[in-house]
Amino acid sequence: MVPRGKIVGPFSCMDLEKKIIQGLERLSDVFKTLLWEKAKNHGISPIQIQILIFVKNHRLELCNVTQLAKEFSLTKPTVSDAVRVLYEKELVAKEFSSADSRRYGLFLTSAGRKITDEIGDFTKPIETILEERADKELETVYLHLTHLIAGLHKKGIIQVQRNCFSCRFYRGNGIKHFCGYLDQPLTHEELRLDCAEHDAIPQ
Ligand code: SF4
């Protein structure tokens, strides 16, 4: 029997798994390049751009150095430094906790919001290509990506996840899905990667 992903004969090449990994690696390079282009134009680093976009899209409690370090798998000093620069450039501001004056959440200033509006489309070239594919095809890719991300999270390689497969409200078998929080079935497309209602399965 021919192993899955193998081509027999003179064009025989590497396993399909390895080709997928190679493809993901290329995409990761593209992502970094697109981010660098935007970063250069605005005089900030790619990680500072990612922090600004994260702060724009998440609630205050998640926007602190400890959480950001987990989200981006970076050290706290690296994130702390990036946040300091953003703060000094007045792109983010801090709201201090009333219970503990050492704790704070970051939010965007109007200058920070303006930059995120300008740079938020850095993935547009990828989106444009995806838009040309059929919905069914995209749905399948998305399902497999969600499984891959959940698997990496289970192995502790991705630290923070707010996707359905790591949520205690998720009921299903990875093919058919149901959300106990929303009390409704979910299509592949409706699975979430970053859900505000996510509640992690206790370890
Ligand atoms: S609460 Fe959110 S993450 Fe959890 S199963 Fe429902 S949609 Fe998915």
Side-chain angles (χ1 to χ4, degrees):
M1 195 177 109
V2 180
R4 186 163 54 90
K6 291 253 193 234
I7 299 172
V8 186
F11 299 111
S12 154
C13 48
M14 64 180 102
D15 294 335
L16 189 52
E17 290 84 351
K18 289 204 178 88
K19 287 192 204 170
I20 291 170
I21 293 167
Q22 204 177 39
L24 291 172
E25 201 181 332
R26 294 303 302 272
L27 285 177
S28 159
D29 291 342
V30 170
F31 188 82
K32 280 185 214 148
T33 306
L34 294 173
L35 209 49
W36 262 114
E37 281 303 311
K38 291 284 180 179
K40 246 182 1 205
N41 296 340
H42 288 86
I44 52 178
S45 72
I47 183 59
Q48 287 162 8
I49 287 193
Q50 284 177 293
I51 291 175
L52 286 177
I53 294 173
F54 183 89
V55 169
K56 179 182 182 181
N57 294 322
H58 293 84
R59 57 185 197 275
L60 207 63
E61 306 87 78
L62 295 178
C63 298
N64 56 65
V65 170
T66 306
Q67 185 65 27
L68 288 166
K70 286 187 196 159
E71 297 282 345
F72 295 107
S73 300
L74 292 169
T75 64
K76 281 213 249 177
T78 303
V79 172
S80 194
D81 203 42
V83 166
R84 180 184 52 75
V85 174
L86 293 173
Y87 186 71
E88 285 170 5
K89 291 188 174 212
E90 299 186 355
L91 298 176
V92 292
K94 300 172 182 175
E95 184 173 316
F96 286 88
S97 153
S98 51
D100 180 350
S101 59
R102 289 164 304 174
R103 294 170 74 94
Y104 62 83
L106 296 165
F107 62 93
L108 296 182
T109 60
S110 52
R113 254 193 311 277
K114 187 165 176 286
I115 283 202
T116 54
D117 288 346
E118 286 165 15
I119 60 183
D121 68 343
F122 78 97
T123 52
K124 191 76 190 158
I126 304 174
E127 268 174 58
T128 311
I129 294 167
L130 290 175
E131 276 162 15
E132 291 166 6
R133 313 305 305 179
D135 286 353
K136 258 296 164 262
E137 212 180 311
L138 291 180
E139 206 178 53
T140 307
V141 172
Y142 180 58
L143 176 68
H144 292 304
L145 273 180
T146 310
H147 276 296
L148 181 59
I149 290 166
L152 289 169
H153 178 239
K154 258 195 199 148
K155 286 184 184 293
I157 296 166
I158 295 178
Q159 289 189 49
V160 183
Q161 262 316 295
R162 285 179 289 275
N163 73 34
C164 292
F165 295 149
S166 64
C167 177
R168 75 179 177 87
F169 294 118
Y170 176 80
R171 281 169 224 141
N173 57 8
I175 304 289
K176 295 234 181 274
H177 323 287
F178 187 89
C179 171
Y181 180 87
L182 301 171
D183 196 23
Q184 64 178 56
L186 304 172
T187 62
H188 296 337
E189 188 182 341
E190 287 168 336
L191 287 170
R192 295 181 185 177
L193 276 184
D194 190 1
C195 175
E197 282 74 44
H198 177 272
D199 195 354
I201 298 168
Q203 298 296 318

